[in-house]
DNA sequence: CAGTAG
DNA sequence: CGGCCTTACTG
DNA sequence: GCCG
């Protein structure tokens, strides 16, 4: 292998527009090499720099058989730059000179468009969504889009893959140590926004963990690892290190980072986010006790409660106790109106052995009326306060405007129990209970994944329903009932999205693995 | 604007 | 390089 | 940190 000299600026004057492949990916270290040699690497034609020689690079071989896909990817009808295979670059790097492109060029016919599909600047901004709207009128055929979605296999795999090969959590995973270490990394980055480094890193780690768990087979090498979706160069390398040494050196760095540790401590307080935590750190505070002593009068009401219940709310709630909360509240609810339903959702519904809080969905058969719903929640909360179950409220429930009440957040404690718990009530119109259930059962990674999937299929999923992705001229979304595809039936929403229904117990995508036996046996806990 | 909810 | 799910609500 |  030829080692490129450190200072060679082989690609100094060129700009590469990379057209990503659909199913396979080129390791990102390659792009790093190109950049190191002076190239500008971009992904959109809008980023071309006039002073550079522009080349369009096809990452994968699929474009050699269907070159017109390049134009589709770039969302244009024609390009004036040469479209070349990836090999041109790799061969050029190897030769340490810019090779002639003639043997690598892909011939692409300009796309001809009729008037109906002529494309405007606005259309380009919106991608192909307009075409979709025009061709799809009813909800019935929304799933069999005639244009194959390249990511579909992967995205469905993320969801459907959970169904097969789902393992009990306690069972040992072939990658247990890797999952544990990556989970530690995710934890370290959770909620940290230091110096522009955002918690998107934590998101990436959790996605990678999910991907590895679903793969189910031992990842022995870097090459094994990087093949998986959501596992890139960085994480693949870390997997290699964990396999080799059992450790992850980067973990020690972040863990010894005082700033990170302190900020994370402050973030545990309900009502305190990055901004507040950072400010306290900057003022020199390092412990919550100092906040309590010096800043108490400056806290918001919610933060004051967060501090007051810091200890209680950091305790996990055993499953059995969640069930007790549910039974108690169901009883009170029946006393007010037996036709109202109150169900514990969240991690409890996903079968968790313990939960961080308790979430309840509140609804009544055939009732969408906000006035009725709001009135009931007001009565329910009042009754729970009389019974001295509710210890505090994190939001105001006004006596007037009951019709505007949609939720209640607060603290609830059962008689004879040690801790006050975080509880949430969420009012749900009967016609939206399917969508609401998906949302409130979670977990959040599952929600993000299924919502992404919906978007790729030109639909939009939120807690109020599954909608067609239709907007007005200003780009504002159409939430009218006519634009709603489905909201009441959870299974139907899955069906329309083209995935088999997934039971709540299998929606734990973001769960960080416990160390398991591997760690204990090898004695490297720590 | 920052924070919270799944 | 820019996006990473979503939207209403609170203070 | 990963993806397009």
């Amino acid at each position: 292998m030829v080692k490129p000299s450190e200072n060679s600026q082989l690609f100094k004057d060129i700009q590469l527009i990379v057209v990503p492949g659909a199913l396979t990916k080129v390791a990102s270290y390659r792009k790093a090499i190109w950049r190191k040699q002076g190239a500008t690497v971009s992904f959109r034609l809008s980023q071309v720099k006039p002073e550079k020689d522009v080349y369009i690079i096809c990452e994968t071989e699929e474009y050699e058989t269907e070159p017109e896909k390049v134009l589709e990817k770039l969302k244009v009808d024609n390009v004036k730059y040469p479209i070349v295979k990836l090999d041109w670059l790799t061969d050029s790097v190897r030769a340490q000179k810019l090779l002639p492109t003639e043997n690598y060029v892909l011939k692409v016919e300009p796309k001809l468009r009729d008037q109906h599909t002529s494309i405007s600047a606005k259309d380009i901004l919106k991608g192909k969504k307009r075409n979709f709207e025009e061709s799809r009128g009813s909800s019935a055929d929304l799933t069999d889009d005639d244009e194959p979605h390249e990511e579909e296999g992967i995205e469905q795999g993320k969801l459907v893959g959970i169904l097969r090969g789902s393992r009990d959590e306690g069972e040992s995973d072939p990658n247990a140590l890797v999952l544990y270490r990556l989970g530690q990394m995710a934890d370290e980055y959770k909620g940290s926004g230091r110096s522009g480094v955002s918690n998107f890193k934590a998101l990436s780690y959790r996605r990678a963990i999910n991907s590895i768990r679903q793969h189910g087979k031992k990842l022995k090498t870097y090459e094994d690892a990087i093949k998986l979706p959501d596992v890139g160069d960085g994480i693949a390398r870390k997997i290699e290190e964990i396999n080799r040494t059992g450790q992850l050196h980067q973990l020690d760095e972040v863990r010894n980072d005082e700033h990170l540790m302190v900020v994370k401590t402050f973030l545990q307080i309900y009502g305190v986010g990055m901004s507040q935590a950072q400010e306290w750190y900057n003022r020199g505070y390092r412990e919550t006790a100092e906040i309590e002593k010096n800043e108490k009068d400056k806290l918001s009401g919610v933060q004051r409660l967060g501090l007051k219940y810091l200890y209680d709310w950091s305790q996990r709630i055993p499953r059995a106790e969640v069930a007790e909360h549910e039974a108690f509240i169901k009883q009170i609810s029946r006393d007010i109106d037996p036709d109202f339903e109150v169900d514990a959702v969240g991690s409890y519904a996903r079968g968790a052995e313990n939960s961080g809080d308790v979430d309840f969905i509140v609804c009544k058969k055939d009732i969408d009326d906000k006035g009725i719903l709001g009135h009931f929640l007001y009565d329910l909360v009042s009754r729970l306060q009389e019974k001295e179950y509710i210890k505090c409220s994190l939001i105001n429930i006004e006596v007037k405007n009951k019709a505007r009440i949609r939720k209640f957040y607060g603290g609830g404690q059962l008689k004879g129990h040690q801790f006050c718990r975080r509880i949430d009530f969420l009012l749900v119109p009967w016609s939206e209970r399917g969508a609401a259930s998906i949302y409130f059962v979670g977990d959040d990674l599952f929600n993000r994944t299924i919502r992404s999937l919906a978007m790729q299929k030109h639909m939009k999923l939120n807690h109020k329903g599954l909608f067609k992705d239709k907007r007005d001229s200003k780009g504002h979304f159409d939430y009218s009932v006519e634009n709603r595809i489905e909201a009441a039936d959870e299974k139907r929403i899955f069906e329309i999205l083209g995935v088999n229904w997934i039971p709540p117990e299998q929606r734990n995508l973001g769960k960080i693995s416990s160390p398991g036996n591997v760690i204990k046996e090898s004695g490297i806990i720590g």
Side-chain angles (χ1 to χ4, degrees):
Chain A
M1 173 145 153
V2 178
K3 187 172 132 215
S5 63
E6 284 303 314
N7 297 321
S8 89
Q9 289 283 290
L10 183 60
F11 299 150
K12 169 161 65 72
D13 297 318
I14 75 172
Q15 177 171 22
L16 309 172
I17 304 293
V18 178
V19 184
L23 297 173
T24 51
K25 60 185 171 192
V26 172
S28 59
Y29 68 84
R30 280 205 168 131
K31 285 159 201 163
I33 290 174
W34 305 335
R35 289 200 169 102
K36 199 169 178 180
Q37 307 215 15
T40 305
V41 182
S42 318
F43 299 94
R44 279 187 288 277
L45 281 173
S46 57
Q47 292 167 342
V48 294
K49 298 180 171 151
E51 73 275 13
K52 303 264 187 181
D53 286 337
V54 176
Y55 297 88
I56 308 219
I57 308 297
C58 301
E59 270 203 1
T60 56
E61 294 176 357
E62 74 205 85
Y63 300 107
E64 296 175 24
T65 48
E66 298 178 283
E68 62 280 3
K69 291 230 157 149
V70 174
L71 296 180
E72 282 180 30
K73 276 272 182 187
L74 294 172
K75 294 173 182 161
V76 291
D77 295 344
N78 197 8
V79 283
K80 54 183 173 180
Y81 311 111
I83 300 176
V84 297
K85 301 180 205 172
L86 179 68
D87 294 348
W88 174 68
L89 271 176
T90 51
D91 289 353
S92 292
V93 171
R94 194 171 300 134
Q96 277 299 290
K97 64 175 182 188
L98 281 181
L99 297 172
T101 56
E102 54 190 1
N103 294 330
Y104 302 92
V105 168
L106 293 181
K107 284 290 243 183
V108 177
E109 292 299 319
K111 217 185 270 183
L112 296 175
R113 290 175 172 272
D114 61 34
Q115 287 159 342
H116 290 93
T117 54
S118 73
I119 210 162
S120 69
K122 202 189 289 174
D123 290 329
I124 293 172
L125 285 174
K126 292 183 181 178
K128 292 176 190 157
K129 285 164 188 170
R130 294 189 62 81
N131 286 345
F132 178 80
E133 281 170 34
E134 287 154 13
S135 57
R136 305 289 149 193
S138 72
S139 65
D141 56 0
L142 274 167
T143 47
D144 61 3
D145 198 325
D146 53 15
E147 185 175 347
H149 288 282
E150 292 140 336
E151 317 306 334
E152 184 171 300
I154 292 168
E155 283 296 343
Q156 286 200 9
K158 282 180 192 171
L159 293 168
V160 176
I162 308 161
L163 289 174
R164 57 165 187 278
S166 67
R167 294 171 298 282
D168 290 336
E169 289 306 321
E171 231 169 283
S172 73
D173 185 293
N175 297 296
L177 182 56
V178 162
L179 292 170
Y180 178 59
R181 292 283 181 234
L182 295 180
Q184 287 179 303
M185 285 299 289
D187 262 356
E188 294 304 325
Y189 281 116
K190 188 170 55 186
S192 122
R194 179 178 51 146
S195 59
V197 180
S198 78
N199 53 353
F200 286 124
K201 284 197 183 185
L203 178 61
S204 284
Y205 277 107
R206 290 198 299 142
R207 284 176 169 159
I209 287 166
N210 179 46
S211 181
I212 294 164
R213 260 224 312 268
Q214 290 189 33
H215 178 63
K217 285 179 261 181
K218 172 77 178 170
L219 299 171
K220 295 201 173 95
T221 63
Y222 174 96
E223 285 72 23
D224 285 348
I226 202 165
K227 280 181 197 150
L228 298 189
D230 298 329
V231 175
D233 180 60
I235 289 180
R237 279 199 270 187
K238 290 182 179 70
I239 291 172
E240 202 172 41
E241 182 187 342
I242 296 163
N243 280 338
R244 203 176 58 247
T245 67
Q247 300 291 329
L248 193 50
H249 70 273
Q250 217 180 317
L251 207 45
D252 299 324
E253 293 169 19
V254 281
R255 289 195 147 173
N256 293 326
D257 188 322
E258 188 199 26
H259 172 275
L260 207 54
M261 300 288 292
V262 171
V263 160
K264 281 177 53 164
T265 309
F266 293 154
L267 287 175
Q268 312 231 320
I269 304 167
Y270 187 97
V272 173
M274 266 311 301
S275 173
Q276 181 67 81
Q278 181 66 54
E279 194 183 320
W280 285 341
Y281 182 86
N282 292 343
R283 284 199 218 144
Y285 296 121
R286 293 295 180 268
E287 295 173 9
T288 43
E290 299 169 332
I291 304 299
E292 188 140 25
K293 197 185 296 171
N294 302 311
E295 299 284 322
K296 205 159 188 177
D297 51 342
K298 292 185 201 138
L299 298 178
S300 74
V302 168
Q303 289 171 334
R304 209 161 292 157
L305 287 169
L307 206 48
K308 177 177 177 183
Y309 290 105
L310 178 58
Y311 182 69
D312 281 31
W313 291 349
S314 61
Q315 306 301 311
R316 301 293 296 177
I317 312 170
R319 183 172 183 80
E321 190 190 324
V322 177
E324 277 188 65
H325 282 263
E326 186 184 34
F328 175 72
I329 288 163
K330 274 177 183 288
Q331 181 57 54
I332 304 292
S333 169
R334 272 196 293 273
D335 294 344
I336 302 169
D337 181 342
D339 292 334
F340 262 90
E341 301 174 16
V342 181
D343 294 301
V345 284
S347 57
Y348 176 77
R350 300 197 305 272
E353 277 311 305
N354 54 67
S355 303
D357 63 6
V358 194
D359 310 295
F360 297 98
I361 277 184
V362 178
C363 63
K364 180 176 181 177
K365 187 169 188 300
D366 295 330
I367 299 297
D368 278 3
D369 185 289
K370 291 191 170 60
I372 297 175
L373 295 171
H375 196 274
F376 176 80
L377 184 55
Y378 181 84
D379 288 348
L380 179 62
V381 169
S382 303
R383 194 73 69 92
L384 290 170
Q385 276 165 338
E386 288 166 20
K387 299 269 180 189
E388 295 179 314
Y389 169 81
I390 287 180
K391 302 294 185 190
C392 66
S393 167
L394 294 162
I395 61 180
N396 286 330
I397 288 204
E398 290 296 332
V399 182
K400 48 193 172 187
N401 276 335
K402 286 181 191 171
R404 293 189 56 203
I405 300 173
R406 272 152 218 214
K407 51 193 176 188
F408 172 82
Y409 300 156
Q413 185 167 11
L414 290 166
K415 285 245 157 39
H417 279 258
Q418 194 180 359
F419 299 116
C420 171
R421 307 299 196 179
R422 275 283 294 106
I423 55 161
D424 299 336
F425 294 108
L426 309 139
L427 283 180
V428 173
W430 185 251
S431 67
E432 297 171 1
R433 65 197 181 285
S437 161
I438 291 176
Y439 176 57
F440 294 124
V441 167
D443 62 14
D444 80 324
L445 199 56
F446 179 85
N447 278 334
R448 289 171 164 200
T449 308
I450 197 169
R451 287 175 183 209
S452 285
L453 177 64
M455 212 125 69
Q456 284 168 21
K457 301 211 169 203
H458 306 294
M459 291 177 265
K460 185 147 157 157
L461 179 65
N462 61 24
H463 63 295
K464 299 169 80 67
L466 181 64
F467 299 82
K468 285 182 274 191
D469 189 355
K470 188 179 165 198
R471 291 148 198 275
D472 65 17
S473 53
K474 290 179 191 164
H476 296 310
F477 197 80
D478 179 0
Y479 283 116
S480 64
V481 175
E482 304 84 72
N483 194 41
R484 195 172 74 185
I485 302 165
E486 180 62 56
D489 187 344
E490 193 181 278
K491 294 193 178 176
R492 180 87 183 112
I493 291 174
F494 278 84
E495 191 182 324
I496 295 166
L497 289 174
V499 290
N500 295 323
W501 183 75
I502 295 165
E505 305 79 42
Q506 289 168 5
R507 299 181 196 173
N508 294 300
L509 304 201
K511 181 132 123 207
I512 311 281
S513 305
S514 58
N517 295 327
V518 182
I519 307 273
K520 289 174 194 156
E521 283 161 14
S522 53
I524 44 179
I525 218 160

